[in-house]
Amino acid sequence: MKSRKIGGIILTILLFIAAIITIVPFVWMFISSFAPNSEIVKVTGGLFPKPSTIDNYVSIQEKFNFLRLFANSLIVAVLKTGIAIYTSAVLGYVFSKMRFRGRNLLFGIVMSTMMIPWAVTIIPQYEMFTNWGLQDTYTSLVLPGMISAFGIFLFRQSISGISDELIEAAKLDGASETRIFHSIILPMSHNTIAALAIFTFLWNWEDYLWPFLMITDENKQLLAVGLKAFNGQYGTDYGGLFAATSLAIVPVIIVYMIFQKQFIAGIATGSGK
């Protein structure tokens, strides 16, 4: 009993140290966003620069139209997240509750796509979307993210825990598959929806390479790509970069704060099976 208590204390200390190591860079970045470049790059002095100005936040809109890029990223990320959640829920329901020939084979094929590195498919995808005339359109950003193999797996594991008798009872009452899915399956999968929403939104919000390849119009570009505007030929505007980055992580924090409880329960449900 005593060894367990000591082990718990050691584990708590290690987790606390890990949390500090993780948080300090974000705190440093946020404090630096209120400091001039001369203070940020100064070799001498303390660990944190001295905050003394809000000019970095004022100038980001003038330098690269921050609000427009922020709105572009938000719209694309929310749209892709919503579509991915719905399609994952539908296919997860199909693979978990519907019986048809080749179901396990199809599910295995879907899961095998998770083993293919993104770098292997990016060139064929680029050629395909370019030939279709979709370059410089948001369609080229949304289409590749409409189906999520990870989301399908997560929903399949979650929905398989829903009682078959409940679904059969709904069918006896005359409910169609569509009604069962929307009135029973989705409400009972709110934890999984929250978990996938956080993952998918984060992946899409911070995506850089694909928008960089497909979008050339500066007014249509996303925020992750637009941040490179602070890196000039002869220097980097660190103050502006940190200010823009500090604002860029706000949506991610908000999404996580909203869904954090359901996120933990959804991951436990999906992985426990």
Side-chain angles (χ1 to χ4, degrees):
M1 192 72 178
K2 187 176 180 180
S3 60
R4 285 187 177 181
K5 187 176 181 179
I6 295 174
I9 294 174
I10 294 175
L11 180 60
T12 301
I13 293 173
L14 292 176
L15 291 176
F16 179 77
I17 294 173
I20 293 298
I21 294 174
T22 303
I23 293 173
V24 165
F26 290 97
V27 175
W28 184 89
M29 179 188 69
F30 180 70
I31 294 176
S32 298
S33 67
F34 293 97
N37 271 353
S38 58
E39 185 68 25
I40 296 174
V41 300
K42 187 169 62 174
V43 177
T44 59
L47 175 63
F48 296 97
K50 296 179 180 179
S52 59
T53 179
I54 61 171
D55 290 343
N56 296 327
Y57 287 90
V58 175
S59 63
I60 56 176
Q61 176 62 24
E62 302 172 355
K63 289 185 177 179
F64 79 129
N65 199 2
F66 175 83
L67 293 179
R68 178 62 181 269
L69 301 185
F70 187 93
N72 293 344
S73 291
L74 188 62
I75 292 171
V76 171
V78 170
L79 182 60
K80 292 178 70 174
T81 300
I83 293 174
I85 289 174
Y86 188 80
T87 56
S88 297
V90 170
L91 294 174
Y93 175 60
V94 170
F95 283 124
S96 63
K97 295 301 182 183
M98 294 186 179
R99 304 290 184 266
F100 55 91
R101 182 176 297 179
R103 184 186 67 164
N104 292 333
L105 176 61
L106 287 175
F107 182 70
I109 293 174
V110 171
M111 290 297 97
S112 66
T113 61
M114 296 177 62
M115 311 302 165
I116 302 175
W118 166 247
V120 174
T121 62
I122 191 168
I123 295 178
Q125 277 192 357
Y126 177 80
E127 291 289 340
M128 183 171 61
F129 280 88
T130 301
N131 292 335
W132 288 349
L134 295 178
Q135 193 169 20
D136 233 8
T137 65
Y138 290 136
T139 303
S140 63
L141 303 182
V142 174
L143 278 180
M146 292 181 65
I147 305 295
S148 170
F150 173 74
I152 294 172
F153 168 77
L154 206 61
F155 271 99
R156 181 182 182 272
Q157 300 300 95
S158 173
I159 295 174
S160 63
I162 298 176
S163 173
D164 291 335
E165 288 76 13
L166 180 63
I167 297 176
E168 292 298 327
K171 290 181 179 179
L172 290 175
D173 289 337
S176 63
E177 293 287 357
T178 303
R179 178 68 180 275
I180 292 172
F181 174 75
H182 290 95
S183 300
I184 298 177
I185 301 301
L186 281 182
M188 296 184 69
S189 302
H190 61 277
N191 289 336
T192 306
I193 291 173
L196 185 60
I198 291 177
F199 278 124
T200 307
F201 184 85
L202 178 61
W203 292 336
N204 288 301
W205 182 260
E206 65 181 12
D207 189 17
Y208 174 87
L209 182 57
W210 187 245
F212 176 74
L213 292 175
M214 297 306 301
I215 305 296
T216 58
D217 188 345
E218 292 184 359
N219 291 324
K220 294 182 179 179
Q221 194 54 268
L222 304 189
L223 183 59
V225 181
L227 289 176
K228 68 181 179 63
F230 289 101
N231 186 15
Q233 183 178 0
Y234 301 105
T236 300
D237 181 8
Y238 292 106
L241 177 61
F242 293 153
T245 305
S246 297
L247 294 176
I249 65 176
V250 170
V252 178
I253 295 175
I254 292 175
V255 169
Y256 181 76
M257 293 299 293
I258 293 174
F259 296 118
Q260 59 175 330
K261 293 182 179 179
Q262 294 86 348
F263 169 74
I264 296 172
I267 292 299
T269 301
S271 61
K273 296 183 180 294

